Amino acid sequence: MTKITTTIPTEMKVLMNHIYEFNKGVRQMVLFTCKKKYGQLAVDRLESQGIPYVLQPAGQQNLNVYFGRRECLDAIRLIVTRPLNQLTPEEDFILGTMLGYDLCAQCERYCKRKNGCKGNCDGKCEKKCINKN
């Protein structure tokens, strides 16, 4: 008898972990980015579990798959209408917060983006964000 082994791509293992966390209530919404060639596998998996999703191209070879609570996805459809790197600082902040990213890190990121920082700004942005009280 021949044993057949199937290798599950790492990206699909990550998706399965995100689905597990969503089903357990750890996350209300997930952003999963994968190669386009895995897009149909991701969609099939989400549909088989009745999980709502939104697809967004991410460059030439990648795909953003948002999935989770319908209320969250309704907001995503209104907010994320262009590539993520073109979001306003406010849209970026809302998205990061919805995805459950660290709130203080999101606030710091927002402040830097709002002040025009695009990387290492030698502390100039941080100084503008500090409350002097």
Side-chain angles (χ1 to χ4, degrees):
M1 182 176 234
T2 305
K3 182 179 179 182
I4 299 173
T5 57
T6 304
T7 304
I8 299 173
T10 302
E11 287 172 306
M12 298 312 294
K13 290 179 183 178
V14 170
L15 174 65
M16 289 186 274
N17 184 67
H18 285 319
I19 291 172
Y20 172 82
E21 290 179 349
F22 171 71
N23 285 332
K24 291 294 182 184
V26 174
R27 300 172 180 261
Q28 302 301 309
M29 189 181 78
V30 175
L31 168 55
F32 169 67
T33 302
C34 65
K35 291 182 176 77
K36 286 183 180 176
K37 68 181 182 178
Y38 297 125
Q40 191 58 53
L41 282 172
V43 165
D44 291 346
R45 187 67 164 207
L46 293 168
E47 287 183 351
S48 74
Q49 296 196 29
I51 299 172
Y53 61 90
V54 172
L55 303 177
Q56 179 193 44
Q60 299 269 336
Q61 299 175 18
N62 293 324
L63 182 67
N64 285 335
V65 182
Y66 298 88
F67 66 90
R69 301 276 306 264
R70 196 165 302 281
E71 305 90 334
C72 297
L73 295 177
D74 289 344
I76 287 300
R77 286 183 188 92
L78 296 172
I79 296 168
V80 185
T81 58
R82 57 196 172 286
L84 297 181
N85 65 346
Q86 294 176 15
L87 295 180
T88 66
E90 290 79 9
E91 292 165 333
D92 180 81
F93 178 82
I94 292 167
L95 176 61
T97 304
M98 289 175 67
L99 289 167
Y101 298 167
D102 178 83
L103 180 59
C104 292
Q106 284 303 114
C107 291
E108 184 177 332
R109 177 180 167 91
Y110 171 75
C111 191
K112 285 180 181 179
R113 290 192 67 205
K114 197 68 177 174
N115 285 318
C117 284
K118 304 243 189 275
N120 185 358
C121 57
D122 299 324
K124 293 174 191 154
C125 292
E126 288 84 355
K127 289 175 187 167
K128 289 181 185 177
C129 295
I130 294 173
N131 187 344
K132 307 248 184 208
N133 292 337

